[in-house]
C-alpha cells in the first residue's frame, strides 16, 4: 500500500513549538542557500524538515570521496553526481510538494540578485574560501533588505553570525576590501568566532593551511551549524525570539562544553580583533618560513 503525502500530517509534530498559523507561514516562506557542501546540504534538509516550502539553491560541484567526513549528500551511490541534483532529490523525498529553484552554475558574483529574488532569508553554505561569491551575495542581501545567516563549522562547534539589513553589513564587519585571499581567509576566520573556543584542542595546527585553501573539518560541527542556523532562520521568519545581529556573534563548542556570546563594535576593526588578526599573520609567516 502506498501512503500519500500530506503536509499537515508530515509536519504536525512541529506544532506546539509553532502554532498552526506559524507553520503555514513557514510553508509559504522562501529560503536561499548558496553552496550545498558541508553545511549547505544539511541546512537544506533541516529547513525542509521544519516544513519550509520554497527554496532557491545554488551549487556547481559534484560529490567526491573527500566529502564523506562531513557532507550529508556524499555517499558511495552519489559519487560524481551533482550536489544540487542529489540534495534536491533528498529534499523532495521529505516533502514532495516543496518548490525548489536550482542554480546549477552556482551563485554569480556578477548577478547575485537573480539568485536572491523573492528570498525571505539567505542562509550561507558557500565554501570557506569562496570570498568573491560570498562578498557579493552578502552585499546584495544588505542592499535588497534580506536578512543573512552564516554558521561556520569550527572544530567540533559552530560560530554564528546574523546580518540584518538595518545593521552592520558583512563588509563593515569583516573588512575584507583590498586584502589578498590569504588575508581575507584570516580575517574571515577570526571574525566568525572571536571567542576562539576551537583553538585549544587543535592537535595538529599544520593541518590548517590558509595559503593553500585547506583545513580540517568534522560532521559534528556541520550538524551543530544546521541547528543554530535553522533556529535563527525560524526566528527571522516568524518575527519572534531574540536575534542579535553583527557585531554580536555566538560560538558554541561541544568538545569544550562551552558557549560564548561576543560583541565586537567595529567588527574586525575592533582593537581586540586587530590584535588577534596580527597574531594570526605572525603564525602564517612562521608556517610559510618552515615550508
Amino acid at each position: 500500500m502506498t501512503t500519500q503525502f500530506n503536509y499537515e500530517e508530515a509536519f504536525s509534530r512541529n506544532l506546539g513549538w509553532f502554532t498552526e498559523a506559524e507553520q503555514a507561514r513557514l510553508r509559504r516562506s522562501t529560503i536561499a542557500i548558496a553552496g550545498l557542501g558541508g553545511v549547505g546540504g544539511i541546512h537544506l534538509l533541516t529547513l525542509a524538515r521544519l516544513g519550509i516550502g520554497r527554496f532557491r539553491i545554488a551549487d556547481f560541484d559534484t560529490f567526491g570521496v573527500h566529502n564523506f567526513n562531513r557532507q550529508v549528500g556524499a555517499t558511495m551511490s552519489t559519487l560524481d553526481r551533482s550536489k544540487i541534483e542529489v540534495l534536491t532529490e533528498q529534499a523532495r523525498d521529505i516533502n514532495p510538494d516543496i518548490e525548489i529553484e536550482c542554480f546549477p552554475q552556482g551563485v554569480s558574483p556578477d548577478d547575485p540578485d537573480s539568485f536572491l529574488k523573492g528570498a525571505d532569508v539567505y542562509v550561507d553554505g558557500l565554501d570557506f574560501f569562496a570570498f568573491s561569491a560570498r562578498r557579493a551575495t552578502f552585499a546584495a542581501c544588505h542592499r535588497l533588505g534580506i536578512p543573512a545567516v552564516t554558521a561556520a563549522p569550527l572544530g567540533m562547534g559552530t560560530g554564528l553570525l546574523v546580518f540584518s539589513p538595518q545593521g552592520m553589513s558583512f563588509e563593515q564587519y569583516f573588512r575584507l576590501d583590498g586584502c589578498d585571499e590569504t588575508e581575507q581567509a584570516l580575517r574571515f576566520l577570526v571574525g566568525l568566532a572571536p571567542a576562539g573556543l576551537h583553538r585549544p584542542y587543535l592537535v595538529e595546527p599544520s593541518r590548517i593551511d590558509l595559503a593553500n585553501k585547506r583545513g580540517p573539518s568534522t560532521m559534528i560541527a556541520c550538524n551543530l551549524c544546521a541547528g543554530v542556523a535553522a533556529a535563527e532562520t525560524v526566528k527571522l521568519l516568524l518575527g519572534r525570539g531574540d536575534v542579535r545581529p553583527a557585531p554580536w556573534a555566538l560560538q558554541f563548542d561541544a568538545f569544550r562544553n562551552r558557549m560564548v556570546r561576543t560583541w565586537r563594535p567595529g567588527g574586525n576593526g575592533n582593537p581586540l580583533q586587530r590584535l588577534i588578526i596580527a597574531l594570526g599573520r605572525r603564525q602564517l609567516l612562521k608556517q610559510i618560513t618552515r615550508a
Side-chain angles (χ1 to χ4, degrees):
M1 182 178 68
T2 301
T3 301
Q4 296 297 309
F5 176 78
N6 178 277
Y7 180 94
E8 286 74 18
E9 182 180 358
F11 303 108
S12 61
R13 298 294 179 94
N14 292 341
L15 300 179
W17 301 116
F18 310 133
T19 66
E20 289 188 8
E22 287 176 331
Q23 187 66 59
R25 186 169 181 176
L26 295 180
R27 187 178 189 177
R28 297 191 302 270
S29 296
T30 301
I31 305 299
I33 304 172
L36 296 172
V39 293
I42 198 167
H43 284 332
L44 173 62
L45 301 187
T46 301
L47 293 167
R49 289 192 185 278
L50 288 173
I52 290 172
R54 299 169 183 163
F55 292 91
R56 300 172 71 81
I57 58 175
D59 200 297
F60 57 82
D61 203 3
T62 57
F63 285 115
V65 175
H66 61 285
N67 300 138
F68 278 26
N69 79 310
R70 71 199 181 282
Q71 298 196 14
V72 70
T75 64
M76 288 301 295
S77 64
T78 63
L79 277 177
D80 301 319
R81 287 193 61 198
S82 161
K83 292 181 181 181
I84 206 166
E85 290 180 3
V86 170
L87 270 301
T88 296
E89 288 174 4
Q90 292 182 353
R92 286 184 172 145
D93 258 355
I94 295 167
N95 176 2
D97 296 336
I98 207 167
E99 297 178 23
I100 302 179
E101 186 163 356
C102 296
F103 292 76
Q105 303 305 315
V107 58
S108 169
D110 299 321
D111 185 23
D113 293 28
S114 297
F115 167 66
L116 293 167
K117 184 178 179 181
D120 297 301
V121 177
Y122 169 66
V123 181
D124 185 29
L126 289 167
D127 180 85
F128 179 91
F129 296 98
F131 295 117
S132 179
R134 178 175 282 110
R135 292 175 66 189
T137 303
F138 274 90
C141 286
H142 198 74
R143 175 169 41 81
L144 297 171
I146 301 170
V149 177
T150 186
L154 300 165
M156 297 180 220
T158 179
L160 174 73
L161 281 163
V162 177
F163 290 91
S164 165
Q166 293 76 40
M168 175 177 264
S169 71
F170 179 93
E171 192 61 46
Q172 288 170 334
Y173 181 84
F174 284 104
R175 301 193 174 214
L176 305 183
D177 191 39
C179 301
D180 63 25
E181 285 201 344
T182 301
E183 179 70 12
Q184 287 186 65
L186 176 60
R187 292 189 179 203
F188 188 49
L189 181 59
V190 171
L192 285 170
L197 296 181
H198 54 292
R199 288 195 291 264
Y201 60 90
L202 179 64
V203 292
E204 292 187 358
S206 62
R207 296 286 182 175
I208 295 180
D209 187 352
L210 298 184
N212 291 301
K213 301 182 180 181
R214 290 198 300 267
S217 59
T218 71
M219 191 62 191
I220 297 169
C222 294
N223 278 316
L224 290 169
C225 286
V228 299
E232 293 300 301
T233 300
V234 163
K235 288 189 283 184
L236 289 164
L237 292 173
L238 300 182
R240 64 178 175 93
D242 181 22
V243 177
R244 301 187 191 184
W248 286 99
L250 181 146
Q251 186 178 8
F252 170 70
D253 194 280
F255 189 83
R256 297 184 66 193
N257 294 320
R258 289 189 62 194
M259 185 182 79
V260 175
R261 192 184 291 275
T262 54
W263 184 58
R264 294 287 190 271
N268 279 341
N270 184 280
L272 182 56
Q273 293 294 93
R274 283 159 48 195
L275 174 61
I276 297 170
I277 291 168
L279 293 172
R281 280 196 211 101
R282 186 180 301 176
Q283 183 62 38
L284 278 173
L285 183 60
K286 289 181 180 177
Q287 286 182 343
I288 294 169
T289 302
R290 284 196 297 267

